[in-house]
Amino acid sequence: MTPPPPPLPDGVSFGTAPGGVRVINIRFDEDEWETRWAKVPHATLRHPETRAAVTLIGTAHISKAAAEETRELIMRERPDVVVLELDPHRLNALVRDAHTAKPCQAAADRFVSTSLFQSGPTQAIGLAYTLVGALLGTTPGAEFLAAIDAAKEVGAEVVLGDLDVKITTSRAWKRQFHELGRMETYRGRPRVSEDEAVDEDLLPSEDLRIEIQNGEGEPIPVKYRLPSTARRIMRDAGCGTKRTELDKLEESVWRLFGRPVRVDDIARLRGCGEKVLDYARSDDFLKQANLDGAPAMQKTIKEDRDLVLTHSLHRTAGRARVKKVVGVVGAAHIPGIKEHWDSVPTDDSRDRYNEALNPIPKECADDMTPGFFLGLCLGAGAAVSVGASRYTWNRLEASSKQPHGAQARAAYSRLLRQTRMLGFAWVGVFMLGATTYALVSRTKVALGELATGIERAAQEGEAQGLLSRRRNELRSDRWTETDELGNRKIEVRATNAVSAYPPREDKKYLFR
């Protein structure tokens, strides 16, 4: 019996040419890259004066595939400059977490110890990124770390082109409160029709029963279900087409809130998560995704940063001796960058750019900020309370010096009741504040425990070989710096391209 032929190497196959001639097809790496590159969100622009080429790659910020594609693009193009959708604060956080053995634990500690009124929202976003990173087996911002590492390998300069995260947060909050004061903003928004038909596959099975375990091993039934939008995204991403497959994924999602977290749930969600991230960069998803229901977020997260990123890329490409630029940005920013590119040299675009660097948006400049309202209310309440207390005390002293007749005793009793009511009101305010503080603190601790539990289970699965290990994106041999103990030290040298244009004679900019 003739033994079967040995298997052919990857990329090699037999075929038949016209005329029946047998040929060997060999696929080269360049062909494979072109095939993959065609599916990646990207764009190529040119500076109008220097004609420098600017290649944009659209990424998802917690994606292994995006990190691999970004690294390969830079290694192939060997650009002079790599522009990242980062600011100095986020760059420092990325490099710090890249060297942390337990990034979720570190992020949870920072989140719990930070006041919500200071940088709490920023720390909460950081914790959410590290949680999803632990679940998917990657590092938050892996594509930026891969870009930094590849830039080090090819000798390219690293430039930061995004708006400062503190300015972004400030503008988002102030716009949000500004919108809350304009009730007409919320009128006429599209609502989901109650008669709109919902795909039955997007609804959980009627017999679906989900239970999670608490820390003591007691089962707790879960009465809530994922929204149909989440199940639709999982279906469209290719995680499953049948209702039973989506039910298993939903069950794994809810079991993450139990104790202990199961490795098989992480494995199931990790496979689906990678497909969802790839789908999130597709044109189909980007056309559907919008922030029309949140105008403050649309203006700040999308429009302002589109403009700032465009000017950073344009400035970088306009520098002398720069011929190639690679820009690593979120896939949702590419349409906005292309829209703003040709108008960058105009005065109107530069005026809007300068305004975007202001922590207070132009339309909110005359608003009374929430902090002022809060201070005004607290000050007025304190003044009224002190005045009422002083008035009551004076009346009590005056009544105590008068003869204690029936009328005086009645007045004294009335003033005593008013004093007690005022005291109870102060106690109620204090208890409300203490309860709110305790509730917020407990919620922060619970979120931290959730993140660290998922990270612990993921690392156990990686140690047992059940899950793929998280890769170190900063792995170039060109990181030769060492500390005093001889350990390798990563120091990223980057230039910040975000700065205001000089004001025109007829323009004045207010920066607070």
Side-chain angles (χ1 to χ4, degrees), residues 22-295:
R22 295 286 290 173
V23 296
I24 299 178
N25 297 320
I26 302 177
R27 188 189 69 227
F28 294 94
D29 291 342
E30 188 68 28
D31 299 332
E32 181 184 358
W33 167 250
E34 292 295 335
T35 302
R36 288 192 292 123
W37 181 242
K39 300 178 181 178
V40 176
H42 66 278
T44 302
L45 306 170
R46 285 197 176 273
H47 192 275
E49 297 177 1
T50 65
R51 304 306 297 168
V54 179
T55 303
L56 302 178
I57 178 172
T59 69
H61 296 322
I62 314 177
S63 170
K64 288 182 180 179
E68 294 173 357
E69 293 156 0
T70 300
R71 182 185 298 275
E72 187 167 357
L73 173 64
I74 295 174
M75 296 299 292
R76 286 176 174 273
E77 293 292 327
R78 306 186 74 84
D80 302 298
V81 184
V82 175
V83 180
L84 306 178
E85 184 197 329
L86 288 177
D87 65 280
H89 297 288
R90 284 185 289 162
L91 174 62
N92 290 333
L94 277 182
V95 177
R96 176 197 61 208
D97 291 342
H99 295 84
T100 304
K102 297 182 178 180
C104 275
Q105 181 67 60
D109 293 340
R110 291 192 299 268
F111 177 57
V112 172
S113 61
T114 303
S115 171
L116 283 179
F117 297 102
Q118 296 176 353
S119 57
T122 304
Q123 297 295 347
I125 295 173
L127 178 61
Y129 268 114
T130 55
L131 186 154
V132 178
L135 184 63
L136 300 181
T138 185
T139 303
E143 78 278 19
F144 298 132
L145 295 174
I148 292 170
D149 196 63
K152 184 76 171 180
E153 192 70 26
V154 303
E157 179 187 358
V158 176
V159 171
L160 308 180
D162 200 4
L163 190 62
D164 189 285
V165 65
K166 294 182 179 180
I167 295 179
T168 302
T169 305
S170 173
R171 291 175 69 86
W173 276 108
K174 289 185 169 51
R175 276 180 169 145
Q176 188 63 47
F177 283 103
H178 179 72
E179 295 295 337
L180 288 174
R182 301 170 60 227
M183 298 306 296
E184 65 273 9
T185 303
Y186 296 91
R187 298 173 184 169
R189 288 190 180 175
R191 298 182 179 181
V192 179
S193 174
E194 297 181 356
D195 300 331
E196 185 179 351
V198 179
D199 193 338
E200 292 185 356
D201 290 338
L202 299 180
L203 300 176
S205 303
E206 296 181 358
D207 57 348
L208 178 61
R209 299 292 182 268
I210 303 177
E211 289 185 346
I212 61 175
Q213 290 185 343
N214 58 15
E216 300 177 356
E218 299 175 352
I220 302 175
V222 178
K223 300 180 181 179
Y224 303 99
R225 295 294 181 264
L226 293 178
S228 59
T229 303
R231 293 173 67 99
R232 178 181 56 79
I233 291 176
M234 290 191 293
R235 183 195 64 182
D236 294 346
C239 298
T241 56
K242 299 180 181 179
R243 179 185 293 187
T244 54
E245 295 173 335
L246 297 178
D247 288 345
K248 290 182 180 179
L249 289 169
E250 178 166 356
E251 189 174 2
S252 295
V253 170
W254 287 113
R255 279 207 296 255
L256 293 177
F257 295 88
R259 294 293 179 273
V261 179
R262 294 168 45 171
V263 176
D264 60 330
D265 289 330
I266 294 181
R268 182 180 293 115
L269 294 176
R270 183 170 290 188
C272 177
E274 293 174 355
K275 296 178 181 179
V276 170
L277 289 176
D278 289 339
Y279 173 64
R281 296 194 293 160
S282 66
D283 292 337
D284 293 339
F285 179 82
L286 293 176
K287 290 177 181 178
Q288 300 176 14
N290 60 71
L291 295 172
D292 293 340

Side-chain angles (χ1 to χ4, degrees), residues 305-314 336-337 340-341 344:
R305 295 173 63 217
D306 284 351
L307 184 64
V308 171
L309 288 168
T310 306
H311 279 260
S312 297
L313 290 161
H314 203 279
I337 293 174
H340 292 302
W341 185 257
V344 167

Side-chain angles (χ1 to χ4, degrees), residues 409-486:
R409 287 195 297 272
Y412 180 81
S413 299
R414 184 169 59 255
L415 291 174
L416 186 60
R417 287 195 302 270
Q418 294 175 354
T419 304
R420 288 174 178 173
M421 292 176 61
L422 184 62
F424 289 149
W426 273 108
V427 171
V429 171
F430 175 79
M431 292 298 294
L432 179 61
T435 302
T436 303
Y437 178 80
L439 181 61
V440 171
S441 300
R442 180 54 193 160
T443 302
K444 292 168 66 177
V445 171
L447 291 175
E449 292 176 348
L450 171 65
T452 54
I454 293 175
E455 181 180 61
R456 189 182 307 113
Q459 291 182 345
E460 290 176 357
E462 293 171 1
Q464 297 171 6
L466 303 176
L467 300 173
S468 59
R469 290 184 177 274
R470 187 181 68 166
R471 293 179 304 180
N472 177 23
E473 298 295 347
L474 298 175
R475 54 180 182 265
S476 173
D477 294 333
R478 293 180 177 268
W479 300 105
T480 57
E481 298 88 350
T482 58
D483 58 17
E484 60 274 7
L485 299 178

